[in-house]
Each structure stands twice: as structure tokens, then as C-alpha cells.
Amino acid sequence: MNDQIIGTQNWWQTPLGSYMLSWEQTCYDDAVADIFGFHSLQIGLFPLQGLRNNRTPHRWLALDSTEQALQWQQSRLADVQSFAPPLQSDVGLPATPAEAVTASLLCDAHALPFGPDTLDLVLLPHTLELSADPHAVLREVARVMVPEGRVLISGINPASLWGMHTWARRIPGLQKLPPMPDDRNLIGYGRLRDWLKLLGLELQSASFGCFRPAMRSDSWLSRWEWMDRVGPTAWPVLGGVYFAEAVKKVPSMHKLAAPWRAPAPSGVARPAVAARERLTETQRSAE
């Protein structure tokens, strides 16, 4: 995973990378604003400030290599609000404060340093498709989440123009997508939905965005701007990027009420006792 992530910081500064990051930042800002709890975690994709609008007191950003930590220090010079401003509150109220979350963990997504039922919110921005074993990562996330905890997942949609571009990179005018270990590591929405159901994570909502083709320049992206207006209605599940929210569900136990009366004894035959014939004194004397 490290070899693919090294150098991606420059890609996020390209027109296409900024376009995708802007849509995802808006999705995460909107989703985490009303999620409460005590502990939240974002795994990977440091250019995205997924927890900046979240109100949990303990928020962490987990990276999986020292190279990512170094790139994180360099990326802090860039202003995320330049392409994705924070959410605005109602009229008469101040804007929602956007607080950057600093990188505080260096760990492997396959073995998180948390106990079972610990985290209230987990963010996976492109974490699964950049992992060598995405199902193991999702299983580990389900382990550390509390019951009714939430997980937010975003990734490249294989059933889209962006997904088609992963196997047709030679089309003139198309921009290379974020470096990934292998084109086969793209996880479709249907496949992700099956994984969530298998791990006891109930899908709450899903949305698709970035309907424009993957172009190189701002001018070409602007020419296809109409697709973002028509796409959600005309072809809603064919967006270049998907965003899903799931909740951890734990089967509840129901204690059976005790019976009011003890059960009646069953009619089992009892062994008959042979009664001795006792002779009275009179009978004995008669003999």
C-alpha cells in the first residue's frame, strides 16, 4: 500500500483530484455534523479533513507509514477550505467551526490499536480500495465499533466513466486516476453492500457524485459541468465516486418470563408397594 500512496499528494492538487476531494469533503462534512459520541477515527487519505465538523471530544487520524506522516506535514501547508468550505449554519447563527484533526496514530488498518466496542465513528475514505485485504480492514472496523456505531465509506465506482478509465487509460484527454495497487482492487457498490451485511453493518444511505469524465484541465471539467446536474436524476448509480453510511447492529436477547405456577407433576406410574398380610392375634390363635 505504501508504494502506491507515495507521491499522491501532488495528485490531489490537480484539477481532477481537487474536484473529487471537494465532493467527498462536502459529503463527510454533512454526514459527521450530526453524529455524536466520544471516540472517532479517520483511517488514511490525509488531504481530506473528514472529522473537521464532528463534535466528538476524541478524534484521531490514523496513517500507516512514516512516508504518509511526512506527507501529512507537507500537506498542512495547503488549505482544505479553499476547495471545500465548512458548512454554514442557519440564518443568525455563526458558521460551523472547522477544526483540523492532526495525525496522531501510526498503525496498520488490518490491526487497529483499539479494543472491541470502542469507537463511535470510523471514516474509510478510499481506505478499502488501497488495502491489500479490504475485507479484513472492514472486519477490523466492525470489531472496534460500538453497537449503533457508524462507519462512512467512500471509493471509486467501477461502474462509471472513472471505473472504465482504469482499464482504458490510453484514451486521449483522460486523466490518470489516483494510484491504486491494482485495477481489480476497486470495490463496487454491490460488493460493498454484501460485505456490510455479512459483518452485521446495516446500510443506512448511499450517494453517488463526480459524474463528469476524468479530464486533465479545469476548462475541460467545466465543459462537462452539466453532467453533475443531470447525473443524479438520469443515471444516479453511475457516478465516479460513491459515499456510503452504515450502522453496526447487534442482535438483542430477550429473556423469557418465569411461569406464574410450577408445572403440574406428570402422570408417571409409581411402583406399587406389596403390602404384607398381617395376621391378627385372633387369626394366629385360631390356627
Side-chain angles (χ1 to χ4, degrees), residues 133-181:
D133 192 351
H135 192 273
V137 173
L138 197 59
R139 183 170 58 249
E140 180 70 2
V141 169
R143 179 188 69 85
V144 301
M145 288 175 54
V146 300
E148 299 298 326
R150 296 179 180 269
V151 56
L152 306 179
I153 306 171
S154 59
I156 303 293
N157 182 18
S160 65
L161 294 177
W162 290 36
M164 179 185 65
H165 181 59
T166 58
W167 53 265
R169 299 178 186 270
R170 297 183 181 181
I171 300 178
L174 291 182
Q175 171 66 31
K176 186 178 181 181
L177 291 180
M180 285 174 275

Side-chain angles (χ1 to χ4, degrees), residues 1-238:
M1 176 175 176
N2 298 339
D3 296 338
Q4 286 77 22
I5 292 185
I6 295 176
T8 58
Q9 180 59 33
N10 295 330
W11 189 90
W12 297 115
Q13 300 175 2
T14 63
L16 184 61
S18 179
Y19 164 61
M20 183 181 75
L21 203 57
S22 175
W23 183 82
E24 291 191 42
Q25 185 70 63
T26 303
C27 291
Y28 281 102
D29 285 345
D30 191 17
V32 304
D34 297 328
I35 298 179
F36 300 93
F38 296 96
H39 307 283
S40 57
L41 173 68
Q42 175 181 335
I43 305 177
L45 196 61
F46 46 83
L48 182 105
Q49 292 287 345
L51 294 173
R52 67 177 186 176
N53 277 355
N54 187 246
R55 304 175 186 178
T56 54
H58 305 287
R59 299 175 296 166
W60 298 287
L61 172 62
L63 306 178
D64 70 343
S65 66
T66 55
E67 290 85 0
Q68 286 194 46
L70 179 60
Q71 290 186 4
W72 165 257
Q73 297 297 331
Q74 298 175 355
S75 68
R76 297 187 66 180
L77 300 177
D79 185 9
V80 181
Q81 298 185 21
S82 60
F83 57 83
L87 294 177
Q88 298 295 325
S89 302
D90 297 335
V91 179
L93 297 178
T96 303
E99 300 178 1
V101 180
T102 58
S104 53
L105 291 177
L106 191 63
C107 62
D108 191 347
H110 302 84
L112 298 175
F114 298 97
D117 304 334
T118 303
L119 301 178
D120 300 278
L121 173 63
V122 180
L123 274 56
L124 300 176
H126 299 275
T127 307
L128 299 180
E129 63 193 26
L130 291 174
S131 173
D133 192 351
H135 192 273
V137 173
L138 197 59
R139 183 170 58 249
E140 180 70 2
V141 169
R143 179 188 69 85
V144 301
M145 288 175 54
V146 300
E148 299 298 326
R150 296 179 180 269
V151 56
L152 306 179
I153 306 171
S154 59
I156 303 293
N157 182 18
S160 65
L161 294 177
W162 290 36
M164 179 185 65
H165 181 59
T166 58
W167 53 265
R169 299 178 186 270
R170 297 183 181 181
I171 300 178
L174 291 182
Q175 171 66 31
K176 186 178 181 181
L177 291 180
M180 285 174 275
D182 199 316
D183 296 345
R184 293 173 297 179
N185 281 15
L186 291 182
I187 301 172
Y189 171 68
R191 184 182 179 189
L192 176 64
R193 183 176 54 189
D194 294 338
W195 285 1
L196 293 174
K197 184 177 181 181
L198 180 64
L199 295 174
L201 301 174
E202 183 177 313
L203 185 66
Q204 297 293 304
S205 62
S207 57
F208 295 81
C210 298
F211 293 92
R212 311 181 199 182
M215 296 297 177
R216 293 180 178 273
S217 62
D218 280 325
S219 59
W220 277 100
L221 283 174
S222 300
R223 294 182 182 182
W224 294 94
E225 189 271 338
W226 61 272
M227 295 187 69
D228 283 337
R229 299 193 306 267
V230 180
T233 304
W235 46 86
V237 297
L238 299 181

Side-chain angles (χ1 to χ4, degrees), residues 255-276:
K255 185 178 180 180
L256 298 178
W260 289 99
R261 296 180 180 178
S266 59
V268 179
R270 296 180 179 181
V273 179
R276 290 185 178 181

